[in-house]
Amino acid sequence: MMRSTARMISNLFRFMLIFEINKFWIFRVTESTINARVGWADDGAPDYDEDEEVQDIEWDVQHYDNIEDALELAEYLIDNKIMRSDKVTIDREELFNRISWEKDRYDAAINTLLSIKVDMLDEGRKTDYFFVHF
């Protein structure tokens, strides 16, 4: 149990890095959900408030056989600055050509990455979610 809990938390953290978080607090972990809070760095805005630049999240943990590939792909997007907010800034074909994986592996990884959703909680209610799209 402990190992899989650590892995679930790690997977959530790695996914949320797409959204340029720099803070990550875990509140509650069960076998099926993780409740956490993420935050963002001061981006130079004159009215930056550390207490407001946070978002409570809840992940209904999804289990994918190829989550490692999906998260590796996410890290490639981050490292190569191919993300703007939640949008991949190049098309699927160009990304495939850049990453140089076998087609089946790439298709499975991108489909998994695009299917991950992490709910945003505002005052305990699900109001929106984090996801990746083209």
Side-chain angles (χ1 to χ4, degrees):
M1 175 63 187
M2 195 61 199
R3 183 164 154 61
S4 62
T5 299
R7 176 71 57 210
M8 289 176 353
I9 292 168
S10 171
N11 290 346
L12 176 59
F13 176 73
R14 290 171 67 198
F15 178 74
M16 292 307 299
L17 286 174
I18 293 169
F19 306 97
E20 300 182 42
I21 64 167
N22 78 334
K23 299 178 190 86
F24 187 73
W25 298 272
I26 302 296
F27 294 135
R28 189 173 68 90
V29 178
T30 69
E31 287 186 22
S32 59
T33 61
I34 298 174
N35 288 83
R37 178 174 291 155
V38 294
W40 290 270
D42 183 348
D43 61 1
D47 57 353
Y48 175 82
D49 179 347
E50 188 171 297
D51 294 328
E52 287 184 5
E53 294 300 318
V54 294
Q55 176 66 56
D56 288 345
I57 59 174
E58 180 173 287
W59 188 36
D60 292 318
V61 178
Q62 299 135 308
H63 296 282
Y64 299 102
D65 291 338
N66 65 334
I67 189 83
E68 282 300 319
D69 278 353
L71 294 171
E72 191 177 327
L73 192 55
E75 288 158 357
Y76 179 89
L77 295 170
I78 296 165
D79 291 347
N80 290 278
K81 300 181 179 13
I82 308 173
M83 290 296 305
R84 185 175 308 115
S85 181
D86 57 7
K87 186 172 174 27
V88 182
T89 59
I90 61 176
D91 66 33
R92 281 179 88 127
E93 196 61 33
E94 186 177 342
L95 180 56
F96 171 67
N97 292 334
R98 285 192 190 187
I99 198 142
S100 66
W101 285 359
E102 294 168 7
K103 181 118 178 72
D104 289 347
R105 179 182 179 198
Y106 170 76
D107 286 343
I110 199 70
N111 289 338
T112 294
L113 184 61
L114 295 176
S115 69
I116 297 173
K117 293 185 176 19
V118 176
D119 289 304
M120 297 178 191
L121 297 178
D122 293 297
E123 295 169 14
R125 291 188 16 255
K126 294 179 181 182
T127 54
D128 201 353
Y129 52 87
F130 290 96
F131 67 102
V132 173
H133 63 97
F134 280 92

